[in-house]
């Protein structure tokens, strides 16, 4: 969704801001803009479309300045257009702001500004309301920070706002409430951004700004204040990723790079949690026997791909720890008055840690007394900060909108979490744990091997890319993976795909099977293999074209399916980490054949910070 970059220092602000915005392109956006303070005036350039359009608009204009802000906008209030693009200014054009989030009472505020104060609005955005409010308060404030502070008192909603003033050229003022904001700490240069990847090239240290805090950023000084404007000391956060982590490194797309990174990221997620003697060390998780013994119910709540990781998590926790688990889509959980109390463990799964629905569901569970555990990728994100226990996935930056390595590391974390619960509660023997861990540790190498020999998927995609619809079926854990396979395909190739538990087919969906209908059938679970063979037989009888996914050695399915993709052999419980990968690759190559914008699919954003 929207991205923010701000710079104040000795260098040319334009270069840093355009570069930072480029790094945030992956989040999804439809217009971009920049504002700098230049010779006592605000100079703004903004354009609908990509950053290339903005660069063309800027052309040879050096926009020479040491202070500026930039934005990539994902339209919410008002269509994507030059006028609605950020930055926005007050009437006198003495201040400029960029904003992520939504101002809920903007209509009310806009009415007052237009009717009582006769202010003329240029755009349809809620953001312009903020700019006019700050502009108004500037008239009787000593400083930009005073005016920004007063404006925040009028606003309801979620925001990260970054402001500059023509009258105070060496300063950026930023505030946040429920939208991420970080300050990058350089030498004689400081930075503001909505996301760390924008700053990886420039800084190794950050301040993570908390809710309701304001930050004043100058070239040599950064000051943070709480909501009562009292100064705050903040510990510096060290960035361990290098700048390459957010580069394509020779791959055609980030998605492909991230698919190929999975053996490494899964290995990292496991080995970080093992001590020298092979015992689990659950960093960030303080759940001991007495905590776990109190838990009567677990909710796993998430959105999209992270929700699909939760479906696997339910299976694992119920199997290893024998605690009942419900998995909910966050946007539903928060509006259905779920039964939650202090014997509930709420597990949020989120790559970005900023998904608003997940965050609000978490808050709802917290209000009702649940203990909050989160499985998160982005360090210091809102979900992480608001949780009692945090289990980081350590996948590194995931740039492609379609989630791949974040998903498989979420799965890895769910394995470790479920094993930890089972062991701590004494519901799992040491022997079982040891042999399961041994097999889990072999998965990254098996995956590497598979990826090195996966050319057939590209060939298959070349043959099948032209379908209008695709079905994904499976049973047990395979059913959870078929949901993820289906989502991956539809989001990047725009093919209408649909996943269903194979046993449910006969209760309606089989009516859609026709000669040539493409079905991806997952059949990796030994104890359900024969049942899947029957399901495949039923759809074959209606003429479906079946591509099956099975474990090496399970060849009986060749008699039924048109094509079989074999994944390396492993226990049933571990197949999700392997079986999802050919589905990711299939989606990737189908989307490529169809000429789709793979890393930035239309209408989608990497981090969904609105409802
Ligand atoms: C799909 C995808 C989305 C996200 C969902 C939740 O590939 O990436 O479905 O999984 O928007 O996002 P996070 O995990 O950031 O909460």
């Amino acid at each position: 969704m929207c991205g923010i970059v701000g710079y104040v220092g000795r260098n040319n602000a334009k270069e840093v801001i355009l570069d930072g915005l480029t790094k945030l392109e992956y989040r999804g956006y439809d217009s971009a803009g920049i504002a700098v303070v230049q010779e006592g005036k605000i100079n703004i350039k903004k354009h609908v479309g990509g950053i290339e359009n903005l660069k063309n608009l800027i052309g040879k204009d050096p926009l020479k300045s040491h202070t500026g802000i930039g934005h990539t906008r994902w339209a919410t209030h008002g269509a994507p257009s030059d006028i609605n693009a950020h930055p926005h200014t007050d009437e006198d054009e003495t201040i400029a702001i960029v904003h992520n989030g939504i101002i809920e009472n903007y209509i009310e505020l806009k009415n007052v500004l237009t009717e009582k104060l006769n202010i003329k609005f240029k755009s349809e955005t809620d953001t312009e309301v903020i700019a006019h409010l700050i502009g108004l308060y500037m008239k009787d404030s000593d400083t930009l920070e005073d005016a920004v502070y007063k404006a925040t008192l009028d606003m309801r909603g979620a925001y990260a706002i970054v402001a500059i003033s023509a009258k105070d050229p060496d300063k950026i003022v930023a505030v946040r409430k429920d939208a991420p904001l970080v300050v990058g700490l350089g030498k004689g240069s400081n930075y503001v951004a909505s996301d760390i990847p924008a700053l990886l090239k420039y800084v190794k240290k950050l301040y993570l700004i908390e809710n309701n805090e304001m930050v004043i950023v100058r070239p040599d000084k950064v000051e943070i204040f709480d909501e009562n404007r009292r100064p705050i000391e903040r510990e510096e956060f060290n960035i361990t990723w290098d700048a390459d982590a957010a580069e394509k490194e020779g791959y055609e797309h980030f998605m492909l790079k991230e698919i190929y990174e999975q053996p490494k990221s899964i290995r990292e997620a496991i080995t970080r949690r093992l001590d020298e003697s092979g015992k689990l060390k659950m960093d960030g998780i303080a759940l001991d026997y007495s905590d776990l013994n109190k838990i009567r119910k677990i909710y796993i709540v998430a959105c999209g791909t992270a929700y699909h990781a939760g479906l696997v998590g339910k299976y694992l926790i119920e199997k290893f720890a024998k605690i009942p688990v419900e998995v909910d889509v966050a946007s539903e959980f928060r509006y259905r008055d779920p039964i939650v109390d202090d014997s509930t463990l709420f597990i949020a799964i989120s790559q970005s840690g900023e998904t608003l629905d997940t965050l609000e569901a978490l808050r709802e569970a917290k209000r009702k007394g649940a203990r909050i555990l989160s499985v998160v990728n982005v360090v210091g994100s809102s979900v992480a900060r608001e949780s009692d226990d945090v289990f980081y996935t350590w996948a590194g930056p995931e740039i492609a909108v379609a989630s791949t390595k974040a998903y498989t590391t979420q799965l890895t974390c769910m394995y470790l979490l479920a094993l930890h619960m089972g062991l701590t509660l004494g519901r799992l023997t040491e022997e079982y744990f040891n042999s399961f861990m041994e097999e889990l540790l072999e998965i990254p190498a098996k995956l590497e091997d598979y990826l090195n020999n996966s050319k057939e998927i590209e060939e298959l995609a070349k043959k099948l890319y032209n379908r209008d619809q695709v079905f994904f079926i499976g049973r047990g854990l395979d059913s959870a993976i078929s949901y993820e396979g289906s989502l991956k395909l539809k989001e990047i190739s725009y093919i209408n795909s649909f996943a269903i538990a194979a046993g449910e087919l006969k209760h309606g969906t089989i009516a859609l099977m026709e000669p040539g209908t493409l079905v991806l059938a997952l059949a990796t679970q030994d104890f359900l293999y024969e049942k899947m063979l029957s399901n495949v037989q039923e759809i074959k009888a209606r003429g479906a074209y079946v591509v099956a996914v099975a474990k090496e050695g399970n060849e009986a399915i060749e008699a039924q399916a048109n094509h079989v993709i074999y994944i390396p052999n492993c226990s049933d419980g571990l197949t999700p980490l392997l079986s999802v990968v050919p589905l990711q690759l299939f989606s990737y190559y189908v989307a490529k054949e169809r000429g789709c914008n793979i890393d930035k699919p239309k209408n989608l954003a990497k981090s969904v910070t609105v409802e």
Side-chain angles (χ1 to χ4, degrees):
M1 295 211 136
C2 305
I4 290 177
V5 183
Y7 173 80
V8 56
R10 297 182 191 130
N11 300 323
N12 189 355
K14 176 185 88 170
E15 307 301 335
V16 178
I17 291 168
L18 290 178
D19 177 68
L21 290 180
T22 311
K23 298 290 182 322
L24 295 185
E25 280 191 295
Y26 73 95
R27 293 169 54 83
Y29 70 106
D30 37 51
S31 58
I34 178 170
V36 298
V37 182
Q38 213 177 6
E39 292 160 13
K41 291 203 173 105
I42 298 282
N43 189 353
I44 295 190
K45 302 280 182 201
K46 49 189 192 172
H47 208 290
V48 71
I51 290 170
E52 277 315 306
N53 292 2
L54 176 64
K55 287 185 179 161
N56 290 338
L57 175 75
I58 295 171
K60 296 213 165 45
D61 187 340
L63 278 186
K64 208 165 173 320
S65 167
H66 300 295
T67 308
I69 52 179
H71 192 258
T72 46
R73 172 174 186 255
W74 190 83
T76 55
H77 296 70
S81 69
D82 293 354
I83 289 190
N84 288 335
H86 299 204
H88 290 279
T89 60
D90 61 333
E91 281 205 309
D92 302 342
E93 302 196 352
T94 49
I95 61 110
I97 65 151
V98 291
H99 160 225
N100 284 1
I102 284 180
I103 303 305
E104 282 162 7
N105 59 336
Y106 89 102
I107 295 187
E108 205 179 292
L109 294 169
K110 191 169 178 175
N111 287 343
V112 175
L113 291 165
T114 43
E115 284 159 24
K116 298 219 170 103
L117 300 163
N118 204 23
I119 286 177
K120 304 261 178 306
F121 276 74
K122 296 187 191 117
S123 75
E124 301 155 281
T125 63
D126 52 341
T127 303
E128 197 183 342
V129 168
I130 311 172
H132 289 302
L133 278 176
I134 297 174
L136 266 185
Y137 287 123
M138 278 295 274
K139 295 192 197 317
D140 56 8
S141 300
D142 295 334
T143 60
L144 177 61
E145 53 272 28
D146 285 350
V148 171
Y149 176 73
K150 287 175 193 161
T152 59
L153 299 180
D154 293 337
M155 298 184 300
R156 279 200 317 273
Y159 49 79
I161 300 166
V162 182
I164 50 172
S165 161
K167 293 186 182 148
D168 204 349
D170 292 322
K171 186 201 281 175
I172 290 177
V173 174
V175 275
R176 70 152 277 180
K177 178 172 174 286
D178 296 338
L181 189 69
V182 298
V183 174
L185 306 170
K187 283 206 177 76
S189 287
N190 286 312
Y191 307 75
V192 178
S194 51
D195 299 82
I196 300 173
L199 306 183
L200 284 178
K201 191 167 149 189
Y202 303 100
V203 296
K204 284 273 168 233
K205 287 179 190 306
L206 295 173
Y207 285 142
L208 303 171
I209 306 304
E210 301 279 348
N211 256 350
N212 301 315
E213 288 179 354
M214 171 182 278
V215 56
I216 303 175
V217 185
R218 297 185 178 87
D220 295 303
K221 194 171 171 193
V222 175
E223 294 167 284
I224 307 174
F225 299 90
D226 71 8
E227 58 192 311
N228 299 313
R229 306 194 69 191
R230 285 181 301 231
I232 294 178
E233 289 293 319
R234 175 69 26 88
E235 224 178 280
E236 288 177 2
F237 172 80
N238 292 312
I239 306 174
T240 49
W241 315 329
D242 56 24
D244 292 348
E247 301 293 339
K248 282 193 203 138
E249 292 175 328
Y251 284 91
E252 197 173 342
H253 295 96
F254 278 110
M255 182 177 176
L256 193 62
K257 177 189 170 219
E258 287 159 6
I259 290 174
Y260 274 83
E261 277 174 350
Q262 291 179 108
K264 182 169 158 251
S265 54
I266 295 172
R267 189 177 288 123
E268 176 88 359
I270 306 170
T271 49
R272 268 180 183 254
R273 274 55 185 255
L274 289 180
D275 68 14
E276 277 132 32
S277 62
K279 289 215 161 41
L280 276 181
K281 46 176 187 166
M282 302 295 284
D283 53 43
I285 295 196
L287 285 168
D288 59 15
Y289 176 81
S290 75
D291 298 321
L292 286 169
N293 203 32
K294 259 189 6 211
I295 293 168
R296 294 287 157 264
K297 180 167 195 176
I298 297 178
Y299 283 105
I300 303 181
V301 179
C303 303
T305 286
Y307 167 77
H308 297 152
L311 296 176
V312 176
K314 169 185 166 75
Y315 172 96
L316 299 172
I317 294 174
E318 289 186 342
K319 185 175 166 68
F320 296 156
K322 310 273 181 263
I323 305 173
V325 181
E326 251 187 74
V327 193
D328 256 278
V329 166
S331 53
E332 289 298 315
F333 179 88
R334 56 185 287 212
Y335 293 115
R336 73 168 174 81
D337 198 14
I339 301 164
V340 174
D341 59 25
D342 61 4
S343 68
T344 309
L345 176 67
F346 177 98
I347 303 180
I349 307 181
S350 177
Q351 188 285 128
S352 63
E354 301 296 343
T355 303
L356 190 71
D357 281 321
T358 307
L359 198 53
E360 287 298 338
L362 176 160
R363 289 173 181 154
E364 167 76 4
K366 202 176 202 174
R367 270 194 294 276
K368 291 182 163 173
R371 178 151 178 164
I372 311 292
L373 185 156
S374 60
V375 175
V376 180
N377 193 35
V378 177
V379 176
S381 56
S382 304
V383 169
R385 281 184 289 103
E386 295 190 29
S387 300
D388 300 307
D389 306 88
V390 185
F391 210 38
Y392 283 115
T393 50
W394 297 120
E398 189 180 66
I399 307 294
V401 164
S403 190
T404 53
K405 63 173 180 169
Y407 173 71
T408 44
T409 51
Q410 283 162 355
L411 293 185
T412 308
C413 288
M414 294 317 289
Y415 281 104
L416 300 178
L417 196 56
L419 287 168
H420 166 72
M421 289 178 174
L423 259 189
T424 311
L425 287 168
R427 294 172 191 168
L428 211 62
T429 63
E430 289 276 344
E431 285 96 324
Y432 186 93
F433 168 77
N434 288 337
S435 78
F436 196 90
M437 272 312 288
E438 205 175 301
E439 236 206 303
L440 181 60
L441 279 162
E442 287 168 6
I443 293 289
K446 288 186 177 176
L447 195 49
E448 238 147 33
D449 223 36
Y450 175 77
L451 283 165
N452 291 336
N453 296 290
S454 58
K455 190 81 190 142
E456 61 158 341
I457 308 286
E458 194 174 348
E459 300 305 320
L460 197 64
K462 281 194 175 131
K463 206 157 108 189
L464 299 172
Y465 76 93
N466 236 342
R467 303 301 172 112
D468 296 333
Q469 60 173 0
V470 181
F471 292 84
F472 288 76
I473 61 171
R475 284 172 171 265
L477 279 174
D478 282 343
S479 142
I481 299 303
S482 59
Y483 286 110
E484 177 55 10
S486 168
L487 178 66
K488 221 70 320 165
L489 184 68
K490 78 172 69 145
E491 66 181 328
I492 60 168
S493 73
Y494 317 137
I495 293 177
N496 180 16
S497 74
F498 184 80
I500 183 165
E504 260 299 286
L505 267 173
K506 283 200 278 294
H507 302 284
T509 306
I510 203 163
L512 298 172
M513 295 297 140
E514 285 178 358
T517 304
L518 177 58
V519 180
L520 272 93
L522 284 101
T524 72
Q525 302 294 291
D526 290 343
F527 80 113
L528 293 165
Y529 192 61
E530 287 186 356
K531 303 247 174 265
M532 266 313 283
L533 287 182
S534 309
N535 291 133
V536 170
Q537 219 158 18
E538 286 154 11
I539 53 172
K540 276 295 285 182
R542 271 97 191 155
Y545 184 97
V546 177
V547 174
V549 179
K551 285 196 278 205
E552 259 163 18
N554 283 355
E555 281 151 22
I557 201 152
E558 284 184 19
Q560 309 293 340
N562 298 74
H563 184 97
V564 184
I565 298 168
Y566 286 108
I567 57 164
N569 207 339
C570 66
S571 302
D572 282 3
L574 281 162
T575 58
L577 286 168
L578 298 170
S579 59
V580 74
V581 178
L583 306 187
Q584 296 168 341
L585 285 170
F586 182 69
S587 306
Y588 173 82
Y589 286 115
V590 166
K592 193 173 159 197
E593 285 301 316
R594 291 165 74 94
C596 300
N597 188 351
I598 295 181
D599 283 337
K600 285 175 265 167
K602 69 172 181 319
N603 305 338
L604 294 180
K606 184 67 186 160
S607 157
V608 184
T609 48
V610 294
E611 246 190 90

